[in-house]
Amino acid sequence: MAGALQLHLGSSFLPSSSHLKLRRRIFAATAPLRRHPTESKIREIFMPALSSTMTEGKIVSWVKSEGDKLSKGESVVVVESDKADMDVETFYDGYLAAIMVDEGGIATVGSAIALLAETEEEIPLAKSKASSSSSAHPEEASSPPVSPQESAIATEASPPRPGKADLTLASSAHPASDAGRRIVATPYAKKLARDLKVELQSVVGTGPMGRIVAKDVEAATDGAASVAITAPITSATKAVADSTPKVPVELGSVVPFTAMQGAVSRNMVESLAAPTFRVGYTITTNSLDELYKKIKSKGVTMTALLAKATAMALTKHPVINCSCRDGKSFTYNSSINIAVAVAIDGGLITPVLQEADKVDIYSLSRKWKELVDKARAKQLQPLEYNSGTFTLSNLGMFGVDRFDAILPPGTGAIMAVGAAQPTVVATKDGRIGVKNQMQVNVTADHRIIYGADLAAFLQTLAKIIEDPKDLTF
Amino acid sequence: MQGSISLSFSTPAISRSDPARFLVAGVGVTPEGVSFSRLQGQALRFCVRKFAGVGRSPHLVSSRKLCKKTLAAVTDNGSTGKGFDYDLVIIGAGVGGHGAALHAVEKGLKTAIIEGDVIGGTCVNRGCVPSKALLAVSGRMHELQSEDHLKSMGLQVLNHSYDRQGVADHANNLASKIRSNLTNSLKALGVDILTGVGTIVGTQKVKYGKVGTVDKEVTAKDILIATGSVPFVPNGIEVDGKTVFTSDQALKLEWVPEWIAIVGSGYIGLEFSDVYTALGSEVTFVEALDQLMPGFDPEIGKLAQRILINPRKIDFHTGVFAKKITPAREGKPVQIELIDAKTKEPKDMLEVDAALIATGRAPFTKGLGLESVVNVTTQRGFVPVDERMQVIDTNGNPVPHLYCIGDANGKMMLAHAASAQGISVIETICGKVHVLNHLSIPAACFTHPEISMVGLTEPQAREKAEKEGFEVFVAKTSFKANTKALAENEGEGLAKLIYRPDNGEILGVHILGLHAADLIHEASNAIAMGTRIQDIKFAVHAHPTLSEVLDELFKAAKVTAGISRSVDEPVAV
């Protein structure tokens, strides 16, 4: 990517007083669309790297509209990085065939933001490519920024541009309008519908004169929630079906990764660079379950309890909260940030409970709820999903009693939590009884975390969970 | 932006056959080889006088009282003995008339002001003043509503709400306070306030009176029309004052509709969208032109849309006329029929709770007796005037002793422009011919963040440059690079300077960002005084302040002319 950029900036030319408040012109990097290298001259316009540290850029505005003719050197789009807005120019003559990331949208460096057709005839072809390939390069307005190292929420297609959407929405039929011919929806309801990808035709308006208001759109999304991310860690009650994708897949087809799936794939391959090992432990959860029952009404969730317990155990074993960056050293993290894996439609994201050791259980539960809401609305900020120092993954809700997890790159350990199940146990005094037990299994980077470290950590964790009075301090 | 030059940069490793194009520090560098010529002389014709602020301090007021006493003595001696009751009669006591009256007294003129409604006119009672009170509320509400913004500053606000009546009272109280200030200042100066509707009944003769009273006539050496304007309501729109209303009623804030359509996206519409969204309404703009905010510099308009429209609960229809608007009645909502602005074909139908008509303002000049008495034909109600604000009759000749300022002449419908025109007229009638440079008059829109401008927009400047054969450069700076703006967590915004590189003349400055309305005056003063960029760039700005945005702007400009005159001794500016 960077090689294709025409970023000629002599630093000596910078005005002395200016702190990089530049509006520079740079060329858009374009490349032929990979899957159609020969039959058509359709090129992708990529999000350029405007600085060495830039990983993503925001589309400030499209200078050109779809269908406009472009000549080499013309401004096409204005891109904003942290300090500057820059005009991006095209490298080639042609037509701006399809805009893939709308104004206000964010795209990672190197991802396609538009397609450039060489001739006018190719515009429709490019458009169809944009809609089919957008699943391969989709980062759009409402989704949080996606950095290459992190998984994030990806969506299928760019939202329609505001002006057009209003017209089509307003002219389509809907029973909510008095005449039955039009949809009557308030500006915010329309905006929400666009962001949440709700068809207004399918929404029943409850506002004045039957108009669709924001809460109707929200209600429609809740009803049709394609994502089961509420309280992912509970005691084996959630239905498995909740998390299965509802989009029918055409058998025999090859479906490219979404950006999030691509990121997951990259992360998984990268994880192979770390030599990991696993240590398991069985923890009795009767006391924890009791505590949970007691404080559930105050909004405390099991996820928060587990995160809190883990964080408290980590304070006593800082090495488990470590990471190995260069293969030569321990990086001791200053705060304990518990990332919790959350399955969402077509992917996975890890909202982070920052400083979980220092936050009380009630605030932590509130925070978790907020993160889940944000994840659902695709509004997580990068810091909210990429700052984890230790990861929790729980498949207990599906009845899974044990599994092992892959270590996310950049962290030292991840804990896989199974379901708590009534188990017949023999106690030391020779009796037999039934206790709720769950199995946890920690995957760790053996360059920095050794077997004894993990064993000691798990012992501490078991102690905290089995005698959970400190969790509510 | 388009007129960028090819600049070669000294990085041989990556140089290519096609020259890299840059806009460095926002400076557009246009291709060379264009001949230069002078900008029209308005800026230069401006006589530099010290009028700003004079007469508003108590000290000066008292000195003016002395002045008045002297004048009274002179009058007693019969110096206005040509039989005139007054040296000057002003019809209309808005901001324009008030400004003119103040200056007239300072110049020793015996002055009367005829007010048919309330002192302060539109600005004080139904315009700038009460709207600023509402906008002060909306600014705080927008802040409170922006949780991310507060959180990033470490603030937590658990709950916020407002009391509509309280907000309305704030606006009303402010208007009353300013009105009484204005009235008192006129009285303190000895300006006679004549109540009633003023009509010109002859050269140098005006009658005034209220319904049911006997009209009185006064004579004056000069007459100044300053009758202002009223909201313009296009045909087909039925204003009931309750669900379909203009800014006059909206400012009373009798209710807050859940969904309001605002017809017109100029200053008034935009400011009200700021207020209504802050108070929880959803807003739909109806704009006849293809772009929202048509009066603004296009780049500023675009950015304003990004900051003030898109993130808020606002949608819009552009390129459409509101052909018919029916107020809510019999359980039906307000209905708005939209037609395509070009083809006139029916386009859409809106059903909303309320509609605010903000389609501009029409001059309030009916009944002045212009046609019948002094043979003046108004143009859509506007009184034609020359550059000295002297009224022009049907034959194109100036009408002696008759002047018109403010919204009534339509040159620039801004309160402070009216006042400046009034001062200009007083100078002229005192024998010192004065022409106001309208390009030096700033304008502001008090949204959050604010928008301000002075001089030409970029397209206007480029058109002028094309015609007169000079180059136009553009420099830009971002609020994102300003320490104070970042400290306030309000980094969104842009300042834009349009200028001539050959002589450093400032053609226009446009600002969108925190306190833009207060920042513009450095630029407007520079234009008024004819200060060039190469001079003003040496002026020092306190750090860290928002004014550094302009400092950066001036420093970013690339002026090819030599430094004409350095500021080598302290100058109060």
Side-chain angles (χ1 to χ4, degrees):
Chain A
M1 275 314 303
L5 269 176
Q6 299 295 298
L7 191 62
H8 307 193
L9 192 66
S11 58
S12 59
F13 205 84
L14 289 173
S16 55
S17 63
S18 169
H19 326 130
L20 242 185
K21 56 208 76 165
L22 307 181
R23 191 177 169 90
R24 295 176 293 204
R25 292 215 148 184
I26 54 128
F27 282 97
T30 46
L33 199 60
R34 286 186 286 279
R35 274 170 289 159
H36 305 272
T38 48
E39 70 262 43
S40 66
K41 286 279 174 49
I42 294 167
R43 299 170 191 279
E44 289 178 339
I45 298 178
F46 290 143
M47 171 61 71
L50 303 177
S51 69
S52 57
T53 54
M54 175 173 163
T55 56
E56 61 193 25
K58 185 170 171 190
I59 309 288
V60 174
S61 61
W62 283 99
V63 181
K64 300 285 177 181
S65 323
E66 286 186 1
D68 282 2
K69 190 173 185 333
L70 306 175
S71 24
K72 193 161 100 177
E74 259 187 304
S75 295
V76 184
V77 60
V78 182
V79 168
E80 178 191 273
S81 69
D82 52 347
K83 282 257 169 93
D85 291 353
M86 297 180 210
D87 281 31
V88 177
E89 300 179 356
T90 169
F91 232 18
Y92 299 92
D93 293 342
Y95 292 85
L96 184 60
I99 287 172
M100 294 159 77
V101 180
D102 271 282
E103 289 182 6
I106 288 167
T108 49
V109 168
S111 66
I113 53 176
L115 293 181
L116 186 71
E118 196 165 59
T119 63
E120 223 164 334
E121 292 75 54
E122 285 163 351
I123 293 177
L125 181 66
K127 278 199 165 150
S128 64
K129 288 205 170 71
S131 50
S132 64
S133 71
S134 61
S135 58
H137 309 276
E139 269 83 29
E140 55 96 24
S142 63
S143 69
V146 178
S147 68
Q149 297 80 27
E150 277 299 328
S151 57
I153 294 161
T155 44
E156 312 85 313
S158 302
R161 316 198 73 192
K164 289 180 201 158
D166 290 347
L167 291 179
T168 48
L169 294 177
S171 60
S172 47
H174 187 258
S177 83
D178 62 341
R181 292 170 286 116
R182 302 169 295 108
I183 284 183
V184 180
T186 69
Y188 187 46
K190 285 182 195 167
K191 224 167 246 190
L192 264 184
R194 246 188 331 264
D195 292 349
L196 301 174
K197 305 208 185 313
V198 171
E199 290 282 332
L200 283 175
Q201 280 91 335
S202 62
V203 178
V204 179
T206 64
M209 334 295 162
R211 76 168 67 127
I212 298 169
V213 294
K215 70 176 165 54
D216 299 331
V217 176
E218 277 162 359
T221 49
D222 288 349
S226 54
V227 176
I229 44 176
T230 41
I233 300 181
T234 56
S235 49
T237 50
K238 288 279 171 205
V240 180
D242 277 2
S243 69
T244 52
K246 295 200 165 58
V247 185
V249 174
E250 199 186 320
L251 298 180
S253 62
V254 177
V255 181
F257 284 156
T258 63
M260 177 192 284
Q261 289 160 343
V264 170
S265 167
R266 277 194 301 280
N267 271 345
M268 292 303 94
V269 173
E270 204 188 315
S271 74
L272 294 176
T276 55
F277 73 114
R278 292 152 184 87
V279 175
Y281 207 98
T282 301
I283 302 175
T284 303
T285 61
N286 289 50
S287 313
L288 187 71
D289 294 342
E290 250 167 59
L291 176 70
Y292 175 57
K293 239 184 252 164
K294 249 197 297 194
I295 57 178
K296 196 171 156 186
S297 59
K298 295 178 188 165
V300 173
T301 62
M302 187 53 94
T303 302
L305 280 171
L306 283 171
K308 180 77 191 168
T310 309
M312 284 172 69
L314 286 172
T315 56
K316 296 188 179 131
H317 303 274
V319 72
I320 313 293
N321 199 42
C322 241
S323 63
C324 183
R325 302 267 161 89
D326 53 4
K328 292 180 203 150
S329 61
F330 295 81
T331 301
Y332 285 94
N333 290 305
S334 52
S335 43
I336 295 173
N337 299 336
I338 306 290
V340 183
V342 167
I344 65 168
D345 191 16
L348 181 70
I349 194 157
T350 53
V352 176
L353 288 164
Q354 313 254 8
E355 310 211 309
D357 56 323
K358 296 192 180 119
V359 180
D360 70 80
I361 188 68
Y362 305 103
S363 309
L364 203 62
S365 301
R366 275 196 297 278
K367 183 71 198 170
W368 178 247
K369 187 174 175 301
E370 184 192 320
L371 287 171
V372 170
D373 287 345
K374 274 192 176 173
R376 186 188 296 127
K378 300 173 179 180
Q379 279 167 352
L380 284 177
Q381 300 301 306
L383 200 65
E384 291 173 324
Y385 61 79
N386 67 13
S387 58
T389 58
F390 183 97
T391 312
L392 272 184
S393 178
N394 185 345
L395 291 177
M397 73 196 93
F398 303 131
V400 169
D401 66 345
R402 76 206 104 112
F403 69 108
D404 75 56
I406 294 182
L407 180 66
T411 61
I414 178 170
M415 184 161 78
V417 181
Q421 290 176 320
T423 312
V424 179
V425 282
T427 55
K428 277 178 191 150
D429 53 12
R431 295 194 192 168
I432 294 174
V434 175
K435 284 191 170 161
N436 285 342
Q437 289 196 321
M438 72 174 180
Q439 294 191 45
V440 298
N441 189 17
V442 181
T443 305
D445 185 340
H446 208 306
R447 289 173 299 177
I448 45 172
I449 301 169
Y450 301 167
D453 296 332
L454 269 193
F457 164 72
L458 285 167
Q459 253 178 344
T460 308
L461 179 67
K463 251 186 216 153
I464 293 171
I465 290 178
E466 286 168 6
D467 183 12
K469 61 179 186 307
D470 291 343
L471 289 180
T472 52
F473 58 83
Chain B
M1 285 316 298
Q2 302 306 330
S4 63
I5 200 182
S6 310
L7 290 179
S8 314
F9 285 77
S10 55
T11 322
I14 45 169
S15 72
R16 280 181 143 238
S17 55
D18 30 70
R21 291 186 172 201
F22 283 92
L23 280 179
V24 176
V27 181
V29 191
T30 49
E32 287 156 81
V34 182
S35 63
F36 307 142
S37 82
R38 270 220 157 292
L39 182 63
Q40 276 183 339
Q42 293 107 319
L44 303 168
R45 258 184 273 143
F46 188 90
C47 0
V48 179
R49 296 184 305 94
K50 286 186 192 163
F51 64 79
V54 169
R56 266 148 217 172
S57 70
H59 169 70
L60 283 164
V61 169
S62 61
S63 78
R64 204 178 294 140
K65 272 183 183 162
L66 280 175
C67 194
K68 168 86 176 34
K69 276 177 197 156
T70 330
L71 173 71
V74 170
T75 314
D76 290 345
N77 288 341
S79 117
T80 45
K82 285 175 189 170
F84 291 120
D85 299 324
Y86 294 100
D87 292 316
L88 176 70
V89 166
I90 302 166
I91 308 176
V95 169
H98 178 261
L102 250 56
H103 196 63
V105 172
E106 189 188 329
K107 286 286 173 185
L109 302 180
K110 188 179 183 201
T111 308
I113 196 160
I114 301 176
E115 179 47 63
D117 182 19
V118 278
I119 298 282
T122 298
C123 168
V124 173
N125 299 291
R126 298 174 300 272
C128 338
V129 170
S131 69
K132 294 305 98 50
L134 297 184
L135 283 157
V137 172
S138 76
R140 283 168 173 77
M141 285 300 284
H142 280 301
E143 264 176 49
L144 291 171
Q145 283 159 3
S146 167
E147 274 177 45
D148 289 352
H149 182 247
L150 292 173
K151 211 186 238 173
S152 63
M153 297 172 86
L155 287 178
Q156 226 180 351
V157 176
L158 295 177
N159 214 343
H160 58 85
S161 59
Y162 67 91
D163 160 36
R164 183 201 54 78
Q165 193 55 50
V167 177
D169 289 347
H170 174 49
N172 194 29
N173 294 343
L174 179 69
S176 324
K177 188 170 186 178
I178 304 293
R179 184 167 58 234
S180 71
N181 286 353
L182 239 59
T183 313
N184 290 343
S185 72
L186 287 173
K187 283 184 182 158
L189 291 175
V191 174
D192 286 348
I193 301 171
L194 313 174
T195 313
V197 178
T199 308
I200 296 160
V201 289
T203 314
Q204 298 172 301
K205 196 182 278 181
V206 182
K207 77 167 184 200
Y208 67 95
K210 278 181 177 169
V211 182
T213 63
V214 182
D215 288 354
K216 290 176 192 158
E217 270 186 19
V218 285
T219 55
K221 188 172 155 288
D222 290 290
I223 297 168
L224 179 59
I225 299 167
T227 44
S229 62
V230 292
F232 169 67
V233 178
N235 286 336
I237 297 178
E238 189 187 330
V239 169
D240 70 346
K242 296 271 179 282
T243 57
V244 179
F245 46 79
T246 66
S247 55
D248 284 2
Q249 292 95 22
L251 287 164
K252 293 183 186 146
L253 201 73
E254 278 164 355
W255 66 302
V256 178
E258 280 177 38
W259 183 5
I260 182 166
I262 299 180
V263 183
S265 65
Y267 295 69
I268 302 174
L270 205 58
E271 289 190 353
F272 273 106
S273 79
D274 198 275
V275 171
Y276 279 116
T277 52
L279 300 183
S281 304
E282 296 182 33
V283 171
T284 296
F285 270 119
V286 175
E287 171 58 55
L289 295 171
D290 289 333
Q291 281 252 306
L292 286 178
M293 298 166 267
F296 294 57
D297 182 271
E299 198 171 356
I300 295 288
K302 238 178 160 179
L303 187 62
Q305 185 173 330
R306 191 154 71 84
I307 297 173
L308 299 171
I309 308 275
N310 294 347
R312 298 186 179 170
K313 294 175 180 176
I314 303 177
D315 70 348
F316 50 87
H317 299 258
T318 51
V320 290
F321 281 132
K323 182 170 172 259
K324 189 170 176 225
I325 300 186
T326 322
R329 59 168 78 104
E330 289 152 17
K332 279 191 181 158
V334 175
Q335 293 183 319
I336 305 177
E337 275 180 48
L338 299 180
I339 56 165
D340 192 291
K342 290 188 193 87
T343 65
K344 311 288 179 216
E345 279 168 15
K347 191 85 179 272
D348 211 334
M349 177 88 179
L350 298 178
E351 290 166 11
V352 293
D353 298 323
L356 167 66
I357 312 306
T359 41
R361 300 186 62 85
F364 182 62
T365 53
K366 262 199 184 143
L368 274 173
L370 288 170
E371 268 91 354
S372 51
V373 182
V374 286
N375 190 28
V376 170
T377 312
T378 58
Q379 290 152 4
R380 290 178 296 121
F382 291 112
V383 179
V385 292
D386 66 9
E387 59 179 12
R388 287 177 289 178
M389 307 302 138
Q390 191 162 3
V391 176
I392 296 171
D393 70 11
T394 311
N395 305 320
N397 302 317
V399 179
H401 309 296
L402 186 61
Y403 298 84
C404 176
I405 58 165
D407 289 3
N409 72 32
K411 274 191 179 267
M412 199 177 211
M413 295 173 87
L414 295 167
H416 49 275
S419 186
Q421 289 172 356
I423 290 163
S424 177
V425 166
I426 304 302
E427 285 291 304
T428 300
I429 62 180
C430 288
K432 211 172 159 190
V433 173
H434 181 264
V435 175
L436 179 66
N437 176 12
H438 284 85
L439 287 174
S440 73
I441 299 180
C445 184
F446 294 84
T447 44
H448 297 90
E450 295 170 344
I451 306 170
S452 62
M453 68 213 72
V454 63
L456 304 173
T457 63
E458 190 177 339
Q460 287 169 342
R462 295 212 181 274
E463 196 188 320
K464 189 183 171 99
E466 181 96 357
K467 234 184 265 164
E468 297 173 19
F470 59 83
E471 273 187 300
V472 169
F473 280 14
V474 173
K476 289 176 211 170
T477 51
S478 165
F479 277 67
K480 222 178 255 182
N482 180 278
T483 310
K484 186 74 190 305
L486 290 179
E488 300 282 345
N489 221 341
E490 303 270 6
E492 275 190 303
L494 173 80
K496 175 174 177 178
L497 167 69
I498 301 155
Y499 66 102
R500 282 180 68 155
D502 57 341
N503 62 11
E505 182 183 341
I506 300 170
L507 302 175
V509 173
H510 303 264
I511 310 173
L512 167 57
L514 187 62
H515 296 309
D518 290 308
L519 291 175
I520 195 69
H521 299 97
E522 186 168 6
S524 61
N525 286 354
I527 293 178
M529 304 298 159
T531 314
R532 300 297 163 103
I533 295 167
Q534 57 270 36
D535 299 327
I536 203 170
K537 72 196 283 188
F538 289 107
V540 179
H541 298 69
H543 176 76
T545 58
L546 293 171
S547 71
E548 288 171 292
V549 170
L550 284 182
D551 188 30
E552 292 291 344
L553 198 58
F554 296 135
K555 290 191 162 89
K558 297 275 175 284
V559 179
T560 48
I563 292 165
S564 65
R565 176 174 55 87
S566 65
V567 183
D568 48 14
E569 52 181 11
V571 177
V573 284

